[in-house]
Amino acid sequence: MISVAEALSRILALAEPLDAETVPLRAAAGRVLSEAVSARLTQPPFNASAMDGYAIREADHVTGRRLKVIGEAGAGHAFSGRVGQGEAARIFTGAPVPDGAERVVLQEDVTRDGDQITLGDRLEQSNHIRPLGQDFRTGDRISAPRRLRPADLALIASMNVPDLRVTRRPVVAILSTGDELVMPGEEPKPDQIVASNTFAIAAMAEARGAEARILPIARDTHASLRQSFALATGADVIVTIGGASVGEHDHIQAVAIELGLQQNFWKIAMRPGKPVMAGRMKDAVLLGLPGNPVSAIVTAQLFLLPLLDRMQGLEAGHAPLKARLTAPLGENGPRAHYMRARLSVGDDLPAITPMGNQDSALLTILSEADALLIRPPGDPVRGTGDIVPYLPF
Ligand code: AMP
Ligand code: MG
C-alpha cells in the first residue's frame, strides 16, 4: 500500500496536458485557458461619467453657481461641443465626458430651471468620472493557464476577444461493473441494486471540464469486461468502478492487464477506498475505483479531479484548509481517514463536525457532508477545538 500523496503524484505522472483548441467565448465557461488573452482595446475607451448629472468645469464647482446647459451627452451619444466656464452639459451614466468638463455633479445636487442649473449646498468630493483605461488598456493580459469563471468571461468579452484557446476537454469513460447493478429507472431484481456513484463521478468530471461518457454496465465476466473496455476506446481516462478487490468476482485487473494495462499501483493506505488502482492502458490513464458508493466518490474527488486538472494544464493537487473540531476524535489507525463532515461558522476558523456514521456505503450521509476531514495515518487523539485539515467537498 502506498500513501495518498504518493498515489496522487504517481497518478499525475501518468498524464500530460492535452492539446489546445479554439472555442467561442460562449463555450468557454469552466474550460482552462491555454494561451494568454490580450485586450484588443482600452476600457473605458474614454473618460466616462459614473453618474447621471451635469458635466462642468472644476472652477464652477461652487455652491450657488448658476450655469447654462449647452448640450447633452448620453451613453452611446457623445456631445461634440466643449464645456466652458459658466456652462454645463447634461450627462448620463456611461456617456463620454465632453471636452472642457472636469467633473460631474449629481442631478440631485442641482436645481434646474429651463436651460439653467444652480448648484446646491451638498456638493461631493468625487468627480464621478471613470478615467480612460481605468479597468485595462490595450495589450493588458490575462495569463494562462486559468480555469475560466463567469467573471473572466465578462472580462474577456470586454477586451473584445470573441474566441479563446483552451485545453481540449479530457474524455472520461466511466465503466461500472457488477452482476448486481441495474441503471436508474430499471426494475432491480430482489438481489440487485441501482448503479449510483457512476452518476456522481460523471457529474464531477463534467464540472471539472471533462466530457464524461457512461458506458453500459459490465457484468462480472471477462467477456463482458472486454466488451466494455472496447467501448472506452478513444477516452483519455477510463474510470472503472467496482470489481477491483480480491473477491472471486473481481476481474477488472486481470482483464485490463490482458488488454495492455501497465499497472502502476493497486491499493492506497486510506479509508474509504483502499483498493484504488492506476496505470496506463494504451493511450488512456486507467483509474480503478472501489465500488462502494462513498469510496468511489471520495477517491474520484481525491484522484480523478486532480488528474483532470493536470490534463487541462493546471497545477494539480490537494490544498487542505483548516477548521476547528466540535467534538473529540480517537486515535487514527495506519490508513489516512477522509471523514465525511459538516462545516459551520466558527469564531476564528470554520467549525467541523464529523458525521456520526462513516460507513462507506451511506450516500445519505455523503450528500449531507460538505467537507472531508483528513486524519493522517496514526493521527493521535484530537480534542474539541483542535485544528484539523479538511478538503471542501
Ligand atoms: P465491488 O468492488 O465490485 O466488490 O463492489 C463493492 C460494493 O459496491 C458492492 O456492494 C457493490 O454492489 C457496490 N457497487 C459497485 N459498483 C457500484 C455502483 N456503480 N453504484 C453503486 N454501488 C456499486
Ligand atoms: Mg462487484
Side-chain angles (χ1 to χ4, degrees), residues 177-178 180 220 242-243 250:
T177 69
E180 76 281 28
D220 288 320
D250 294 330

Side-chain angles (χ1 to χ4, degrees), residues 311-332:
M311 288 182 150
Q312 289 168 90
L314 290 173
E315 287 286 321
H318 301 159
L321 304 172
K322 289 187 164 72
R324 283 191 193 279
L325 270 177
T326 61
L329 285 173
E331 191 184 343
N332 191 33

Side-chain angles (χ1 to χ4, degrees), residues 234-312:
D236 301 296
V237 183
I238 303 171
V239 176
T240 62
I241 301 168
S245 315
V246 284
E248 272 166 42
H249 303 287
D250 294 330
H251 304 300
I252 291 221
Q253 261 196 79
V255 173
I257 288 171
E258 176 195 309
L259 294 176
L261 170 69
Q262 291 182 295
Q263 188 176 295
N264 189 290
F265 69 81
W266 175 45
K267 288 189 182 173
I268 303 175
M270 67 176 287
R271 295 189 280 165
K274 177 171 81 170
V276 173
M277 163 178 83
R280 280 216 64 102
M281 194 160 157
K282 298 183 194 145
D283 294 334
V285 176
L286 181 117
L287 197 54
L289 304 182
N292 263 320
V294 174
S295 311
I297 294 167
V298 168
T299 51
Q301 175 84 20
L302 295 180
F303 304 111
L304 174 62
L305 300 189
L307 174 64
L308 296 177
D309 283 348
R310 159 117 180 104
M311 288 182 150
Q312 289 168 90

Side-chain angles (χ1 to χ4, degrees), residues 45-282:
F46 41 75
N47 292 328
S49 179
M51 289 292 184
D52 294 339
Y54 293 86
I56 65 169
R57 293 260 179 152
E58 192 59 44
D60 284 332
H61 194 230
V62 180
T63 294
R65 186 65 55 95
R66 279 167 66 83
L67 305 174
K68 181 165 192 257
V69 180
I70 59 163
E72 181 173 307
H77 303 279
F79 173 58
S80 55
R82 190 181 169 79
V83 175
Q85 189 96 40
E87 294 176 339
R90 180 74 170 119
I91 195 163
F92 297 95
T93 305
V97 176
D99 283 350
E102 292 156 321
R103 67 157 56 236
V104 171
V105 283
L106 306 189
Q107 61 188 27
E108 303 89 290
D109 293 349
V110 308
T111 46
R112 181 155 181 175
D113 181 14
D115 66 353
Q116 298 281 324
I117 58 168
T118 306
L119 274 59
D121 50 11
R122 205 184 60 97
L123 299 179
E124 297 199 4
Q125 284 287 313
S126 164
N127 66 9
H128 299 300
I129 292 173
R130 301 187 178 126
L132 175 144
Q134 184 188 38
D135 205 359
F136 54 82
R137 288 181 178 269
T138 302
D140 281 358
R141 286 152 74 88
I142 301 174
S143 61
R146 175 188 186 86
R147 197 177 288 284
L148 296 167
R149 300 179 307 142
D152 299 323
L153 301 185
L155 176 58
I156 293 168
S158 71
M159 291 177 162
N160 203 15
V161 175
D163 303 299
L164 321 172
R165 297 287 286 168
V166 296
T167 315
R168 165 171 91 67
R169 285 187 193 280
V171 175
V172 180
I174 303 170
L175 172 46
S176 315
T177 69
D179 288 343
E180 76 281 28
L181 300 178
V182 299
M183 289 295 263
E186 289 180 36
E187 196 61 54
K189 297 201 193 93
D191 54 358
Q192 290 188 307
I193 60 166
V194 182
S196 58
N197 51 36
T198 324
F199 295 86
I201 291 167
M204 291 159 75
E206 281 165 355
R208 210 60 162 239
E211 179 188 322
R213 296 184 189 158
I214 294 182
L215 302 181
I217 295 165
R219 299 304 158 198
D220 288 320
T221 65
H222 283 223
S224 178
L225 282 168
R226 260 187 237 114
Q227 242 174 29
S228 289
F229 274 118
L231 293 173
T233 304
D236 301 296
V237 183
I238 303 171
V239 176
T240 62
I241 301 168
S245 315
V246 284
E248 272 166 42
H249 303 287
D250 294 330
H251 304 300
I252 291 221
Q253 261 196 79
V255 173
I257 288 171
E258 176 195 309
L259 294 176
L261 170 69
Q262 291 182 295
Q263 188 176 295
N264 189 290
F265 69 81
W266 175 45
K267 288 189 182 173
I268 303 175
M270 67 176 287
R271 295 189 280 165
K274 177 171 81 170
V276 173
M277 163 178 83
R280 280 216 64 102
M281 194 160 157
K282 298 183 194 145

